[in-house]
């Protein structure tokens, strides 16, 4: 069993990691020649304001009184600047948004190796190409650009991380700090000759990162008073800073200004996905070299937006977010970032046609240089007759080839399994694959991915007679029933695959499962248990349709669990009430929350190991933690899921009774801690495929049924406010991950109970589960996309990763659930009680 577990784990881990090596590789290339405009730039310096988390409509749309929330920026739009909407791309997070703005390229997926906090591959940026850049703002953003800069010309000034507190009484103080620090910096420069000379050089940049709006949006939502008032504070801060800059430089008219945002925010205070409220951000540019307010020409974009925003007379010029980087480069005369894919928006430039022509030409050459370097790299690592020039810039061709090669290997192994000299044939296949990879100069990891299926399939085909005998061992079953089981399993697997795209399919599946007692005839023999099963299925079916967000009981521990649930409900209510009153997170609530989290691993180990007693203790402990991590209706999900799990245990026991099994045991006497009698372990039956499929279906329900995955894909810190309010991505991410895992643990403990009560070998039952999961993984492998938008690519990859990781982590989680269910901590010398 241990060898099987280790080998299976290694194989699944390798192929799980393969998707990261194939798809999560950096698209960035190096070695390009920097391109710049050979003419004098219109500006000597540029100021970049980034209002983190600011939506386009929140800035442009007037308030209920018809007045603008940002009067200064509105006057710039109407009189002296050019404006539009900057279209961001998923993931709409701060790091990729700032990289797109300042470096000109979109998400580098290899950043997953750094936990999405920074880019692991060096890249060029406007800051790097500038002569000097001074930055003020968040410690989560600024160091990334200073670290990647060549030389020591990017200077950062950040506030302590502790200031990023979602429970702060006034998060706008983060923006006030930035404006105050910049003004103090310029005042100090007047008496510092060295600094003064540096500030008067050309090609300088100033970057003001304003995080207050984003923090208030997470804490109070974008429609709140705090969020909207923060916009007004930023607007007045920008107006004052522009006045200070003009005075400092003697009104020389050589300063360009750009105001924008890295991403927007949903109405419920999250971001990360592709909703228009997250991808539409404001862009306002004015100053040296920028086109003044344009009032002629037709509007290219939605007139309804212009009317709603009260800007019918102003021409709106939209851009892609990456286009802002070449715009900044052109304004101050620095080379375009060599990794940029942005296209210079000429409508923002107020200069001669000659300057515009030279600028767009340099921009085109800069993008072409990336293509040439990429093509040269691809040509060097591709067999000559397989290389076709002028292919797309991505690695899609090479990745498609890798997938097809691996699929052909697997298919060839299946077709030739019955031939003679099986070992020699697989050895030849392995040598051919290795030779092919060697000619291709493939990475060493590709050898693992392509050669690992060879011994795996060899082992499977070597046991072909055993597999055939297993099929022949059930001659008593009619062929029609076997074929029916095959159709049901196939339909069930496809239903699970489709549920990844449409959560409502889980509702359909639960409705079908609710009818199982009626179809199988169990309803006439066990009406109460059947009704409990049917009702729990129907109640749970509601959640996928909701929007995304001894024989005596152990009375002491049950009472303790119930009191803990009540206490956690009070903690949750009082915490949110305190935050709404801007009184911060109470220390008592925080201590209770952390103690509840820690005790949830210990309290079940103190209870009886009798089946229902231990399951009830586990349920209560997990529900408490889940309740503290909930923000809405999802708090009801674990209790309803647990109801269905208890009904499943009872209905499976009733099935064993109706079949007249001699190995059945009464649930009331089942003890997790007792070793299973090997003589009573029965062989695998077709009915066990049904049990395994139910388990996989409930695992998918646990993952998608209540939109748990959305809590990770779209960041919303409100779920962890009972534990902490100061921004800490690792602790917050860990808490959200545990929230996602809690329904899994409930299902896994139930599966452990069914395995014990049905006297079935855990290895046999788990093998069927692995086969079903691997069939789903194979299906998603062929659905992986390496073209289209990042949303499409990321979604297709995440589906494969979810199924593969589910196979792996179910192996590991089974060890944890075995400890939770069968182990017990004895306090002092108190002996374990056995009830007879």
């Amino acid at each position: 069993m241990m060898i099987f577990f280790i080998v299976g784990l290694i194989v699944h881990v390798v192929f799980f990691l393969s998707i990261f090596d194939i798809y999560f590789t950096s698209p960035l290339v190096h070695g390009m020649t920097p391109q710049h405009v050979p003419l004098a730039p219109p500006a000597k310096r540029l100021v970049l304001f980034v209002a983190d988390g600011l939506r386009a409509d929140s800035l442009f749309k007037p308030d209920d009184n018809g007045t603008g929330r940002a009067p200064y920026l509105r006057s710039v739009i109407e009189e002296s600047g050019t404006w539009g909407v900057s279209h961001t791309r998923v993931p709409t997070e701060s790091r990729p948004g700032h990289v797109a703005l300042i470096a000109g390229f979109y998400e580098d997926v290899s950043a997953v190796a750094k936990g999405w906090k920074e880019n692991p591959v060096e890249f060029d940026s406007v800051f790097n190409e500038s002569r000097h850049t001074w930055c003020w703002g968040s410690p989560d953003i600024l160091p990334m650009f200073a670290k990647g800069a060549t030389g020591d010309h990017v200077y950062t000034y950040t506030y302590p991380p502790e200031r990023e507190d979602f429970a702060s009484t006034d998060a706008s103080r983060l923006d006030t700090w930035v404006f105050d620090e910049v003004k103090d910096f310029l005042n100090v420069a007047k008496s510092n000759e060295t600094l003064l000379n540096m500030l008067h050089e050309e090609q300088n940049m100033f970057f003001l990162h304003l995080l207050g709006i984003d923090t208030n949006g997470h804490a109070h939502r974008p429609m709140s008073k705090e969020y909207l008032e923060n916009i007004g504070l930023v607007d007045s801060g920008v107006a004052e800073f522009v006045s200070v800059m003009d005075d400092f430089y003697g009104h020389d008219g050589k300063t360009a200004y750009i105001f924008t945002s890295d991403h927007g925010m949903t109405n419920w205070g999250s971001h990360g996905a592709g909703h228009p409220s997250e991808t539409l951000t404001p862009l306002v540019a004015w100053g040296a070299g920028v086109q003044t307010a344009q009032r002629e020409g037709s509007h290219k974009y939605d007139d309804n937006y212009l009317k709603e925003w009260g800007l019918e007379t102003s021409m709106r010029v939209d851009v892609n977010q990456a286009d802002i980087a070449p715009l900044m480069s052109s304004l101050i005369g620095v080379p375009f970032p060599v990794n940029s894919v942005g296209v210079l928006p000429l409508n923002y430039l107020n200069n001669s046609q000659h300057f515009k022509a030279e600028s767009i030409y340099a921009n085109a050459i800069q993008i072409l240089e990336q293509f040439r370097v990429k093509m040269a790299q691809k040509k060097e690592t591709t067999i000559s007759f397989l290389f076709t020039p002028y292919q797309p810039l991505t690695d899609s061709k090479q990745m498609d080839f890798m997938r097809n090669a691996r699929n052909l290997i697997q298919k060839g192994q299946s077709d030739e399994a019955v031939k003679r000299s099986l070992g020699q044939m697989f050895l030849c296949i392995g040598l051919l694959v290795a030779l092919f990879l060697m000619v291709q100069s493939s990475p060493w990891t590709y050898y693992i991915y392509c050669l690992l299926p060879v011994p795996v399939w060899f082992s499977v085909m070597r046991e072909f007679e055993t597999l055939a005998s297993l099929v022949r061992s059930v001659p008593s079953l009619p062929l029609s029933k076997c074929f029916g089981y095959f159709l049901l399993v196939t339909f069930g697997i496809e239903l699970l695959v489709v549920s990844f795209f449409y959560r409502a399919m889980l509702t359909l599946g639960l409705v079908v499962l609710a009818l199982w007692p009626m179809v199988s005839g169990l309803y006439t023999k066990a009406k109460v248990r059947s009704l409990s099963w049917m009702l729990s299925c129907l109640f749970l079916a509601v959640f996928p349709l909701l929007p995304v967000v001894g024989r005596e009981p152990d009375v002491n521990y049950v009472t303790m669990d119930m009191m803990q649930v009540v206490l956690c409900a009070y903690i949750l209510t009082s915490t949110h009430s305190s935050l709404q009153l801007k009184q911060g997170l109470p220390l008592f609530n925080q201590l209770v929350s952390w103690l509840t989290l820690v005790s949830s691993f210990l309290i079940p180990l103190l209870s009886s190991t009798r089946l229902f007693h231990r399951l009830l203790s586990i349920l209560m402990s997990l529900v408490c933690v889940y309740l503290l991590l909930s923000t809405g209706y999802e708090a009801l999900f674990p209790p309803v899921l647990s109801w269905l799990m208890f009904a499943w245990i009872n209905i499976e026991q009733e099935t064993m009774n109706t079949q007249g099994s001699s190995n059945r045991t009464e649930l009331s006497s089942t003890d997790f801690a007792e070793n299973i009698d090997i003589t009573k372990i029965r062989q695998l039956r077709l009915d066990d495929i049904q049990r395994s499929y139910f388990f996989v279906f409930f695992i998918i329900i646990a993952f998608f049924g209540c939109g748990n995955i959305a809590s990770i894909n779209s960041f919303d810190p409100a779920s962890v406010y009972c534990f902490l309010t100061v921004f800490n991505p690792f602790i917050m991410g860990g808490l959200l991950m545990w929230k996602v895992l809690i329904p899994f643990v409930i299902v896994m403990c139930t599966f452990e109970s069914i395995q014990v009560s049905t006297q079935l070998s855990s290895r046999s039952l788990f093998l069927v589960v692995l086969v079903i999961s691997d069939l789903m993984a194979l299906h998603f492998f062929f659905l992986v996309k390496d073209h289209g938008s990042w949303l499409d690519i990321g979604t297709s990859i995440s589906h494969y990763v979810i199924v593969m990781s589910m196979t792996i982590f179910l192996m590991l989680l089974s060890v944890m659930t075995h400890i939770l269910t069968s182990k017990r901590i004895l306090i002092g010398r108190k002996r374990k009680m056995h009830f007879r």
Side-chain angles (χ1 to χ4, degrees):
M1 179 64 182
M2 183 57 64
I3 296 177
F4 160 76
F5 177 83
I6 295 175
V7 173
L9 183 62
I10 292 175
V11 170
H12 284 87
V13 167
V14 168
F15 282 103
F16 169 74
L17 295 177
S18 70
I19 200 72
F20 292 95
D21 194 29
I22 294 173
Y23 291 98
F24 284 81
T25 54
S26 177
L28 302 183
V29 292
H30 299 87
M32 292 79 69
T33 303
Q35 304 292 323
H36 64 88
V37 181
L39 303 177
K44 291 183 177 180
R45 66 200 72 91
L46 185 142
V47 180
L48 173 63
F49 304 95
V50 177
D52 204 306
L54 177 60
R55 295 163 41 150
D57 59 343
S58 297
L59 178 70
F60 296 138
K61 186 179 179 179
D63 58 21
D64 296 336
N65 298 325
T67 59
R69 300 187 180 100
Y72 175 76
L73 290 174
R74 196 170 185 86
S75 67
V76 170
I77 292 173
E78 296 176 346
E79 300 171 7
S80 59
T82 300
W83 73 284
V85 172
S86 171
H87 295 260
T88 69
R89 293 190 184 181
V90 291
T92 47
E93 302 286 354
S94 292
R95 185 194 61 81
H98 281 88
V99 170
L101 286 169
I102 300 168
F105 67 88
Y106 297 105
E107 180 60 85
D108 182 355
V109 292
S110 68
V112 69
K114 295 286 186 178
W116 302 112
K117 290 298 294 179
E118 60 181 83
N119 213 76
V121 180
E122 291 186 0
F123 61 92
D124 195 17
S125 68
V126 182
F127 291 175
N128 184 48
E129 297 292 351
S130 68
R131 190 177 304 274
H132 302 287
T133 297
W134 290 272
C135 311
W136 294 265
S138 169
D140 298 320
I141 298 297
L142 305 190
M144 175 174 55
F145 295 98
K147 178 181 178 181
T150 56
D152 188 21
H153 65 281
V154 178
Y155 313 96
T156 61
Y157 304 89
T158 63
Y159 38 74
E162 293 76 19
R163 287 180 176 244
E164 299 180 14
D165 189 349
F166 296 107
S168 172
T169 56
D170 186 10
S172 63
R173 291 183 298 182
L174 299 175
D175 300 337
T176 302
W177 182 94
V178 171
F179 289 121
D180 291 343
E181 288 292 317
V182 177
K183 289 183 289 186
D184 292 342
F185 172 80
L186 294 178
N187 288 332
V188 171
K190 295 177 182 179
S191 57
N192 186 326
E193 184 176 355
T194 302
L195 179 58
L196 187 64
N197 292 334
M198 292 171 60
L199 288 170
H200 279 82
E201 294 178 2
E202 297 181 353
Q203 299 181 340
N204 283 342
M205 287 197 65
F206 300 84
F207 173 42
L208 280 67
H209 177 234
L210 308 168
L211 187 61
I213 293 176
D214 181 78
T215 306
N216 272 321
H218 284 308
H220 306 289
R221 308 297 181 256
M223 301 303 174
S224 65
K225 172 185 175 183
E226 291 81 3
Y227 184 90
L228 299 178
E229 288 183 349
N230 204 151
I231 296 176
L233 183 145
V234 167
D235 179 74
S236 60
V238 170
E240 184 179 1
F241 177 71
V242 170
S243 177
V244 171
M245 284 287 287
D246 288 344
D247 293 339
F248 184 85
Y249 287 104
H251 297 270
D252 62 353
K254 290 295 182 179
T255 306
Y257 300 92
I258 290 181
F259 180 92
T260 186
S261 175
D262 55 345
H263 57 75
M265 187 171 291
T266 62
N267 290 339
W268 51 92
S270 66
H271 55 78
H275 190 271
S277 62
E278 301 169 89
T279 60
L280 302 182
T281 59
L283 174 62
V284 183
W286 70 100
V290 179
Q291 188 66 263
T292 56
Q294 305 175 59
R295 302 180 183 277
E296 297 180 357
S298 60
H299 294 297
K300 182 180 178 180
Y301 300 96
D302 304 332
D303 291 335
N304 292 335
Y305 275 129
L306 296 174
K307 294 177 181 179
E308 182 181 355
W309 296 343
L311 295 169
E312 300 93 331
T313 60
S314 299
M315 184 174 178
R316 169 182 163 190
V317 182
D318 285 14
V319 301
N320 291 319
Q321 194 173 45
D323 300 342
I324 298 177
L327 173 62
M328 293 189 293
S329 299
S330 179
L331 288 173
I332 58 176
V334 299
F336 296 105
V338 295
N339 301 116
S340 172
V341 296
V343 178
L344 179 65
L346 295 178
N347 288 335
Y348 277 81
L349 293 179
N350 183 16
N351 215 312
S352 64
Q353 293 299 320
H354 182 203
F355 182 86
K356 292 182 179 180
E358 291 285 356
S359 298
I360 199 67
Y361 175 76
N363 186 201
I365 295 298
Q366 169 260 319
I367 296 177
L368 180 62
E369 279 291 307
Q370 297 181 74
F371 169 70
R372 289 172 175 170
V373 171
K374 188 69 177 180
M375 186 174 69
Q377 292 178 355
K378 188 174 179 64
K379 189 174 183 180
E380 291 176 358
T381 58
T382 306
I383 300 176
S384 57
F385 70 87
L386 293 177
F387 177 76
T388 304
Y390 307 110
Q391 292 297 312
L393 300 182
T394 65
D395 284 340
S396 59
K397 202 73 174 181
Q398 183 177 352
M399 295 306 103
D400 286 340
F401 181 76
M402 287 299 303
R403 290 204 303 272
N404 292 336
R406 186 187 311 164
N407 299 335
L408 287 174
I409 294 169
Q410 293 174 351
K411 184 176 184 300
Q413 291 166 356
S414 319
D415 295 340
E416 302 296 330
V418 295
K419 293 184 178 181
R420 298 177 180 179
S421 305
L422 191 63
Q424 291 84 344
M425 184 195 70
F426 275 91
L427 178 61
C428 292
I429 291 176
L431 292 175
L432 288 174
V433 172
L435 179 64
F436 184 80
L437 294 173
M438 187 181 300
V439 175
Q440 288 283 93
S441 301
S442 300
W444 65 269
T445 51
Y446 284 20
Y447 287 84
I448 298 178
Y449 306 147
C450 292
L451 290 176
L452 188 58
V454 177
V456 170
W457 277 106
F458 172 70
S459 300
V460 173
M461 294 300 107
R462 191 174 57 180
E463 303 294 332
F464 179 79
E465 288 299 326
T466 303
L467 297 174
S469 63
L470 178 63
V471 176
R472 291 194 297 266
S473 65
V474 287
S476 59
L477 285 177
L479 181 62
S480 59
K481 186 173 183 180
C482 294
F483 184 69
Y485 263 99
F486 173 77
L487 289 180
L488 286 175
V489 171
T490 303
F491 171 77
I493 292 176
E494 291 302 313
L495 178 68
L496 294 178
V497 171
V498 176
S499 69
F500 277 69
F501 304 94
Y502 306 99
R503 286 176 57 210
M505 297 303 295
L506 296 175
T507 299
L508 175 61
L510 285 168
V511 172
V512 174
L513 289 185
L515 301 177
W516 175 46
M518 304 287 291
V519 176
S520 62
L522 288 174
Y523 180 79
T524 58
K525 301 176 182 179
K527 291 186 178 181
V528 175
R529 291 180 174 182
S530 298
L531 284 175
S532 178
W533 166 270
M534 296 168 67
L535 290 175
S536 58
C537 284
L538 294 177
F539 271 100
L540 196 64
V542 175
F543 286 92
L545 299 177
L546 297 176
V548 188
V549 183
R551 297 188 182 180
E552 295 297 325
D554 199 336
V555 179
N556 294 332
Y557 293 118
V558 172
T559 305
M560 183 190 304
D561 291 330
M562 294 301 296
M563 292 176 61
Q564 193 176 19
V565 172
V566 175
L567 178 60
C568 289
Y570 165 75
I571 293 296
L572 181 67
T573 304
S574 62
T575 297
H576 285 278
S577 176
S578 177
L579 294 178
Q580 288 180 353
L581 297 174
K582 299 183 180 180
Q583 296 176 353
L585 173 60
L587 179 60
F588 172 78
N589 292 13
Q590 189 175 23
L591 290 175
V592 171
S593 299
W594 284 107
L595 287 175
T596 301
L597 176 64
V598 174
S599 64
S600 65
F601 299 97
L602 299 177
I603 289 181
L605 300 179
L606 299 174
S607 64
S608 169
T609 54
R610 297 283 179 169
L611 189 146
F612 282 120
H613 301 163
R614 179 55 63 93
L615 286 182
L616 182 61
S617 180
I618 294 173
L619 164 65
M620 292 297 185
S621 299
L622 296 179
V623 165
C624 289
V625 179
Y626 200 93
L627 180 62
L628 293 173
L629 292 170
S630 299
T631 59
Y633 71 88
E634 78 271 20
L636 299 175
F637 183 69
V640 177
L641 178 65
S642 302
W643 177 18
L644 178 58
M645 293 299 100
F646 278 108
W648 184 23
I649 295 173
N650 281 282
I651 208 75
E652 289 292 354
Q653 182 69 14
E654 191 63 34
T655 301
M656 296 289 291
N657 294 340
T658 56
Q659 292 175 350
S661 175
S662 60
N663 296 337
R664 69 179 186 270
T665 58
E666 294 297 330
L667 291 178
S668 58
S669 61
T670 302
D671 195 318
F672 284 114
E674 293 181 355
N675 294 325
I676 298 178
D677 187 352
I678 298 179
T679 61
K680 293 184 178 181
I681 295 180
R682 58 181 178 80
Q683 295 297 318
L684 195 66
R685 297 196 301 252
L686 284 180
D687 288 342
D688 296 318
I689 299 178
Q690 161 205 297
R691 295 184 176 93
S692 301
Y693 177 77
F694 279 5
F695 170 68
V696 176
F697 183 82
F698 292 141
I699 284 290
I700 302 298
I701 285 286
F703 202 79
F704 286 105
C706 198
N708 284 334
I709 188 62
S711 62
I712 296 180
N713 284 344
S714 189
F715 174 69
D716 184 2
S719 297
V720 299
Y721 281 169
C722 290
F723 295 87
L724 76 166
T725 56
V726 177
F727 181 69
N728 188 314
F730 295 103
I731 296 179
M732 289 180 170
L735 290 171
L736 290 176
M737 182 60 69
W738 179 237
K739 177 184 178 182
V740 171
L741 289 179
I742 285 175
F744 280 93
V745 176
I746 295 175
V747 178
M748 283 295 298
C749 290
T750 305
F751 194 57
E752 179 86 1
S753 306
I754 290 176
Q755 179 263 319
V756 172
S757 62
T758 58
Q759 296 290 314
L760 180 63
S761 169
S762 59
R763 180 177 183 269
S764 301
L765 208 54
F766 211 77
L767 271 175
V768 180
V769 172
L770 290 181
V771 170
I772 295 175
S773 301
D774 286 343
L775 287 174
M776 293 176 59
L778 185 63
H779 195 133
F780 282 116
F781 181 82
F782 290 106
L783 294 177
V784 170
K785 296 182 180 179
D786 55 5
H787 60 277
S789 68
W790 274 118
L791 178 61
D792 297 334
I793 297 173
T795 301
S796 65
I797 292 176
S798 67
H799 288 167
Y800 174 78
V801 170
I802 287 170
V803 177
M804 283 298 292
S805 61
M806 180 179 72
T807 304
I808 297 170
F809 107 92
L810 286 181
M811 295 181 180
L812 302 176
L813 200 60
S814 63
V815 178
M816 174 185 173
T817 54
H818 178 72
I819 295 174
L820 274 177
T821 54
S822 62
K823 303 301 179 182
R824 186 176 187 184
I825 298 176
L826 299 178
I827 300 177
R829 295 187 177 180
K830 181 181 178 181
R831 299 183 61 184
K832 181 178 176 181
M833 298 291 294
H834 290 277
F835 297 94
R836 299 297 182 185

